[in-house]
Amino acid sequence: REGLGSLVPLREIPVEMAVDFLEVSENISGGLVNLHVDASQLTLRLLNGTHQSALDLLMALFDEKGKAAASFVERVGVNIRPERLETALKNGFSYRRLMALKPGFYQARVAIREEGSARMGSASKWVEVPDIGKKQLALSGVLLSASREDQNDLQLENSGYIPRPSSATRRFKKDGAVDFMVFAYNAKVEKNAADLVIQSQVFSGSKLVYASPIAKMTIPESVDLQRIPYAARISLEGFNPGPYELRVVVIDRLIKATAFRRVYFTVE
């Protein structure tokens, strides 16, 4: 038992996670998992001119009954040039992967372990995957990011689909701005055209603090009319620090159908 008093608990690696529904093609859809890892808690070793570490990442998604629906294990290498070390320690790392899922509710759980130090981190989130096959108007998750001029996080290499914008932290600077992207699925098409309008609303608790004008969704010429994208920016000027809810409402005027999605974020 000698020496037990000198043991120091290992610091946990902070991990933040967001999971959003996304369909990118008729055969590719599921939960888009976004992770943010605090690099300041990693043990980075200077080898061959770069600061290096390695993370073992385990991710699993469970349905409402607790049954495993999808999982994977991956080792992610961290290699940072000396001139980028300060930025990496300040902003951390992002990791994204699209997990194929059938319609339903799922809980995503992730655990990471750093090679060598044995430091660990974990996070969990819920996601709803709608049944796009019902051919009813539906929306993807609302993908959030800081406005482009504020976005400096680094990307870890992986083979998953990486749409922009997307963020795991969902914390934004007071008086800054937040960008969002959403996809509308199964819009009614007549004469090779759809007629969708959209509005974004921000709530603080039950109080509406912002509502955009109702706008017609402009559809690019080459876009798949069954997967119509929309992106916009919301200024956070005048927002008090605290938690908020963003609701995105889309109306299909050809069939008078409505769909909405919500996402939560924090102003700091």
Side-chain angles (χ1 to χ4, degrees):
R1 295 180 180 271
E2 291 183 4
L4 286 179
S6 64
L7 292 178
V8 178
L10 291 175
R11 289 175 294 175
E12 182 174 305
I13 301 172
V15 180
E16 295 181 84
M17 177 166 64
V19 189
D20 299 290
F21 165 69
L22 188 69
E23 183 187 66
V24 297
S25 72
E26 185 175 353
N27 299 315
I28 304 176
S29 67
L32 177 65
V33 179
N34 291 276
L35 301 179
H36 181 268
V37 179
D38 185 346
S40 69
Q41 299 303 314
L42 299 180
T43 303
L44 298 168
R45 300 174 177 83
L46 184 61
L47 298 171
N48 300 320
T50 63
H51 298 274
Q52 300 180 20
S53 183
L55 302 175
D56 291 319
L57 188 153
L58 169 63
M59 187 177 299
L61 289 99
F62 299 87
D63 64 19
E64 292 180 282
K65 297 180 180 180
K67 182 179 179 180
S71 65
F72 77 94
V73 177
E74 183 174 353
R75 169 158 290 196
V76 180
V78 179
N79 291 277
I80 309 170
R81 297 191 302 272
E83 64 270 22
R84 300 205 67 187
L85 180 62
E86 183 178 353
T87 299
L89 295 178
K90 178 182 178 181
N91 296 311
F93 300 99
S94 292
Y95 178 96
R96 298 175 176 89
R97 189 182 186 101
L98 184 64
M99 303 289 287
L101 295 169
K102 297 178 180 179
F105 286 89
Y106 299 90
Q107 185 185 49
R109 304 175 192 171
V110 65
I112 64 170
R113 180 181 182 275
E114 185 182 31
E115 182 186 32
S117 73
R119 289 177 180 166
M120 302 181 70
S122 62
S124 64
K125 288 290 182 181
W126 284 89
V127 62
E128 177 189 4
V129 177
D131 189 351
I132 299 299
K134 290 183 176 180
K135 300 303 180 181
Q136 297 174 345
L137 181 67
L139 302 182
S140 70
V142 183
L143 309 179
L144 297 182
S145 75
S147 57
R148 187 66 61 178
E149 58 267 25
D150 297 330
Q151 196 168 13
N152 295 312
D153 64 332
L154 304 177
Q155 299 302 308
L156 296 184
E157 182 179 355
N158 70 92
S159 59
Y161 177 78
I162 308 178
R164 295 292 186 176
S166 56
S167 168
T169 62
R170 308 218 160 150
R171 290 180 282 107
F172 305 99
K173 297 177 182 178
K174 185 179 185 298
D175 296 326
V178 57
D179 293 340
F180 74 87
M181 176 179 285
V182 68
F183 291 82
Y185 305 115
N186 295 330
K188 178 68 174 179
V189 177
E190 290 185 355
K191 298 180 180 179
N192 202 34
D195 186 6
L196 302 178
V197 294
I198 190 168
Q199 184 182 45
S200 54
Q201 306 166 349
V202 179
F203 290 82
S204 175
S206 60
K207 181 181 178 181
L208 179 66
V209 296
Y210 167 83
S212 71
I214 296 176
K216 184 176 177 62
M217 291 178 62
T218 302
I219 303 174
E221 290 184 5
S222 59
V223 77
D224 179 353
L225 292 177
Q226 294 304 305
R227 299 167 186 84
I228 300 173
Y230 180 86
R233 174 169 294 175
I234 297 174
S235 171
L236 300 177
E237 184 175 357
F239 279 53
N240 294 321
Y244 291 88
E245 175 193 339
L246 169 61
R247 297 181 192 174
V248 177
V249 182
V250 172
I251 300 172
D252 187 334
R253 295 194 292 194
L254 291 179
I255 56 174
K256 296 181 173 59
T258 301
F260 82 95
R261 278 277 183 172
R262 66 182 70 190
V263 65
Y264 297 94
F265 66 94
T266 300
V267 174
E268 299 180 330

